[in-house]
Amino acid sequence: MNAVNGLPWTVLRVHRPALALWSAFVAAVAGFLAWTAGFQADKARAELAYCAHHDTCFLSATDGYGTTVRWTAVVLSCCCYAVAAWAGAALVARELESGTARLAWTQSVSPVRWLTAKLAVPALVLTLGCAVLVAMFRWTWSNQPDRLDNGWSDAGTFVALGPATLAYALCALAVGALAGLLLGRTLPALGATLAVMLLLGRTLAGLRADLWPAITRTGATEVPPPHGAWQLEGGVLVHGRRIADPDYGHCLSTATRIRDCAADHGITGHYSVYHPLSHFWPLHLVETGIVLAVAGAATAAAFGLLRRRTA
């Protein structure tokens, strides 16, 4: 019983370097975001205030702030599940490869309890770290001076703005454990985990716009989406048929030309398909649910495989 109760602490002791590295990463990124939301945001606001009263001005600080936020989102969306992939593969495959796992199973620690501790401890650490990072990123993003909510549809920003960050990390942890049990070697398990997670991330990014019904608006003239919306498609209606991104720019300068083009080309109206800012949470939570379902399936498969191999 003491061995079982002490197993989480054993996992923490064995992987202290990884814990220290993850803690340092969280602290560094959180500090960088705090500095960005303070110092850089102040410079950008001052620049925008100056430009509001001058005809000629360059938005270098404002653009730099937006670039910093976007690249930080890319780092967060990639690093969290890269760390989890390493944890899952190294925690399981390395101990199977070295024989440490079988030794632990002879010390009154069952294989199921061993795997539970191997997954629960890093999952808790990842949850705490991701909670801090997501909260800091949302605060920094909300303080962005230039068009605050125009970039939420960017792949990295979309993930970094909510619990999908943690969902991808936990999914990578579960997939890493499964790969470690299947392959039994650290490097092949790590490579397989990263490949699966990259495939999952790319697939869901491609399907993201379809995870929630989009809004379609039509009108006699151009139909711009509202501020902060994620525009998916736009164009003209020719006899009721949609033509996306048409080469009808010369038709849009004056009402007379619009009427002339409508007569010459059969344009009956314009349309726009988009997700408003209010669709962020439905889209985000649906994707989070899908990723967590994959994580749950991988975890169940890992425990099932372990039971069969140690029966």
Side-chain angles (χ1 to χ4, degrees):
M1 181 62 68
N2 290 334
V4 176
N5 292 335
L7 190 55
W9 298 109
T10 301
V11 174
L12 286 174
R13 284 199 306 271
V14 171
H15 298 281
R16 278 180 298 181
L19 176 61
L21 183 61
W22 172 246
S23 300
F25 172 77
V26 172
V29 174
F32 176 73
L33 287 173
W35 175 82
T36 300
F39 178 73
Q40 264 196 303
D42 288 342
K43 289 180 62 178
R45 290 191 187 95
E47 183 180 73
L48 288 174
Y50 173 83
C51 291
H53 300 89
H54 296 79
D55 295 333
T56 303
C57 109
F58 300 96
L59 297 176
S60 57
T62 302
D63 292 339
Y65 187 90
T67 300
T68 299
V69 171
R70 284 191 293 272
W71 277 108
T72 304
V74 172
V75 171
L76 292 184
S77 63
C78 295
C79 283
C80 283
Y81 63 78
V83 170
W86 176 87
L91 284 172
V92 176
R94 186 167 64 188
E95 296 207 3
L96 289 174
E97 190 175 11
S98 64
T100 306
R102 295 192 178 277
L103 177 62
W105 299 343
T106 64
Q107 304 297 318
S108 71
V109 178
S110 69
V112 170
R113 287 175 174 172
W114 170 83
L115 183 58
T116 300
K118 290 294 183 183
L119 293 178
V121 173
L124 177 60
V125 173
L126 285 169
T127 299
L128 295 175
C130 287
V132 172
L133 292 174
V134 170
M136 289 298 299
F137 181 81
R138 287 192 62 85
W139 174 56
T140 305
W141 184 79
S142 68
N143 281 282
Q144 186 175 346
D146 57 324
R147 298 176 297 279
L148 302 183
D149 43 15
N150 277 356
W152 65 270
S153 61
D154 289 346
T157 304
F158 182 88
V159 174
L161 279 171
T165 303
L166 176 60
Y168 275 105
L170 295 179
C171 185
L173 180 65
V175 172
L178 178 59
L181 289 170
L182 283 172
L183 301 175
R185 298 177 61 188
T186 304
L187 291 180
L190 177 59
T193 304
L194 290 177
V196 170
M197 292 309 302
L198 286 173
L199 178 62
L200 177 63
R202 291 290 184 88
T203 301
L204 288 178
L207 299 174
R208 184 169 293 154
D210 299 321
L211 296 179
W212 197 260
I215 292 177
T216 301
R217 291 180 58 200
T218 60
T221 58
E222 279 190 291
V223 187
H227 177 69
W230 175 14
Q231 185 168 14
L232 305 176
E233 189 180 334
V236 297
L237 298 172
V238 177
H239 301 299
R241 182 169 57 90
R242 293 181 183 179
I243 300 180
D245 298 323
D247 186 19
Y248 292 141
H250 60 287
C251 300
L252 305 178
S253 57
T254 67
T256 301
R257 290 186 179 181
I258 291 173
R259 288 195 297 269
D260 291 341
C261 280
D264 294 341
H265 301 289
I267 299 176
T268 57
H270 297 254
Y271 76 97
S272 179
V273 182
Y274 60 90
H275 284 295
L277 183 59
S278 60
H279 281 194
F280 167 76
W281 281 114
L283 287 165
H284 190 92
L285 293 177
V286 169
E287 182 168 337
T288 300
I290 294 173
V291 177
L292 289 177
V294 175
T299 302
F303 277 101
L305 180 63
L306 182 64
R307 287 191 185 95
R308 287 196 299 271
R309 288 190 173 180
T310 57

